[in-house]
Each structure stands twice: as structure tokens, then as C-alpha cells.
Amino acid sequence: MLTMDDIIREGHPTLRKVATNVPLPAPQEDKETLKKMLDFLVHSQDPELAEKYNLRPGVGLAAPQINVSKRMIAVNVTDHNDDLIEVGLFNPKIVSHSAETTFLENGEGCLSVDRSVPGIVPRYARIKVEGTNLEGEKVSLRLKGLPAIVFQHEIDHLNGIMFYDRIEESDPYKKPLPPHEVIKRNEFDNPIS
């Protein structure tokens, strides 16, 4: 079982590397790693387990965050219809996106960042992501709102990008040019990853 001890923190060189593709079909070791990443997210969102194992809740996790520089992400988040999106992907990529942007009103958080980093992180409002799931099937997902933000945050990790790299340094609360939408989340909601 993964715990917070397995999550590397900002400053660790792996977080700034571009992760390598996973050969497909995925080796058993990589499947087991991705399954553990998904389990971590589920455990972290269970209040009893989170308290028992001292887990910070999260809705996404990228393999580089556990010091595995491979293109694997796990996501466990609900969409605007309250439907659960629980998926692990090998070699995910954004194949198309909207011109419209979005951002989380209260900013983004990250399991690899132990501090608050205020500011607006501009993201595409809608994206299409393709990848391969744990069963070896090609998956194509059309995402909007919070799930779109989560997938962009995790795919950034695969490219050595931290969420705060996208905050305008000279004006952290500078909103993207319209059209854009603001996603409101409770300040106690789970950090992204």
C-alpha cells in the first residue's frame, strides 16, 4: 500500500523529468504500480483510512510523484453529474482541447507540494484524452470542468511541469482572457494530486 512516505516532494529531480513511455502491453510490474496508485486515491478519500494511515486526500496521482519516471496516471474524481471517473492510464495524452479556458477559484494543490501556492492556474475547459487502461484497452475520454483540470495537472507531471509553473508570476490572480469559466470548489476539497 502506498502512503505519503512514497510521495516525493517538490525539489526532487524526478518531478522535473519528462517521463518515459510504458511499453505496451504494459509489463506486470507497471500494472501493479498503477493499481497501487489508484488504491492510494481511494484510500486517501476514505476519512477513516486517511486518518489511520495519515494520507492527504487526492483526486489524481502521476507515477513521477512516487519516483517512477514513467507515463502513468491515476484519477479518482467525480464529474459535474456526480459520476465517478476512476481510471488508471498508461501513456495518456491530450489529443484535442477547447479554446475556452477554466481554472479553480481557490487554486490547485498537489500531494508533492507541502505548502499553499495561491494563484490562478489556467487550464483548457474541455479536453479529449487518449491512453491505455489497466486491461490493455485503448481509452478515449472527453472531459470538462474539474475532471479536465485533474487530467491536465497529472499529464503535466509526466512532462516535468508543476502546477505553479502555470501561475503568472507578476500577477498570480490574473484571469485568463475570456471565454473562461470558474470552477468553484470547497476549500476543504481534495487537492488535485
Side-chain angles (χ1 to χ4, degrees), residues 62-80:
Q65 292 180 272
I66 57 168
N67 203 20
V68 175
S69 192
K70 294 183 178 181
R71 299 186 83 78
M72 301 188 287
I73 64 168
V75 173
N76 189 333
V77 68
T78 52
D79 67 13
H80 60 286

Side-chain angles (χ1 to χ4, degrees), residues 2-35:
L2 295 176
T3 68
M4 290 305 296
D5 291 339
D6 297 297
I7 309 282
I8 60 175
R9 303 307 203 275
E10 61 180 322
H12 193 292
T14 301
L15 291 173
R16 290 302 189 172
K17 283 184 188 170
V18 174
T20 59
N21 279 326
V22 175
L24 298 174
Q28 189 60 34
E29 178 186 0
D30 291 336
K31 287 182 184 177
E32 288 169 12
T33 298
L34 189 51
K35 178 75 174 92

Side-chain angles (χ1 to χ4, degrees), residues 5-164:
D5 291 339
D6 297 297
I7 309 282
I8 60 175
R9 303 307 203 275
E10 61 180 322
H12 193 292
T14 301
L15 291 173
R16 290 302 189 172
K17 283 184 188 170
V18 174
T20 59
N21 279 326
V22 175
L24 298 174
Q28 189 60 34
E29 178 186 0
D30 291 336
K31 287 182 184 177
E32 288 169 12
T33 298
L34 189 51
K35 178 75 174 92
K36 285 180 186 173
M37 290 165 57
L38 277 167
D39 288 345
F40 173 89
L41 296 176
V42 172
H43 296 156
S44 79
Q45 293 178 31
D46 179 309
E48 286 181 22
L49 287 175
E51 185 177 345
K52 181 178 178 181
Y53 296 107
N54 194 28
L55 305 176
R56 278 177 57 198
V59 292
L61 186 64
Q65 292 180 272
I66 57 168
N67 203 20
V68 175
S69 192
K70 294 183 178 181
R71 299 186 83 78
M72 301 188 287
I73 64 168
V75 173
N76 189 333
V77 68
T78 52
D79 67 13
H80 60 286
N81 293 321
D82 227 22
D83 292 328
L84 180 65
I85 298 171
E86 183 178 2
V87 67
L89 291 179
F90 297 107
N91 307 326
K93 63 183 172 201
I94 297 169
V95 294
S96 64
H97 61 79
S98 63
E100 184 183 19
T101 58
T102 189
F103 59 90
L104 289 178
E105 183 180 47
N106 294 328
E108 293 184 16
C110 183
L111 294 170
S112 293
V113 180
D114 291 332
R115 62 191 173 98
S116 174
V117 184
I120 287 174
V121 183
R123 301 287 187 185
Y124 299 117
R126 292 176 309 284
I127 59 171
K128 181 178 176 185
V129 173
E130 292 180 353
T132 302
N133 68 13
L134 275 163
E135 290 74 38
E137 302 161 335
K138 285 259 188 213
V139 175
S140 181
L141 301 167
R142 290 187 181 277
L143 304 158
K144 68 180 185 178
L146 180 60
I149 291 171
V150 173
F151 275 81
Q152 288 171 81
H153 180 114
E154 301 315 326
I155 291 170
D156 270 357
H157 275 303
L158 304 182
N159 295 316
I161 299 167
M162 301 294 283
F163 76 92
Y164 48 73

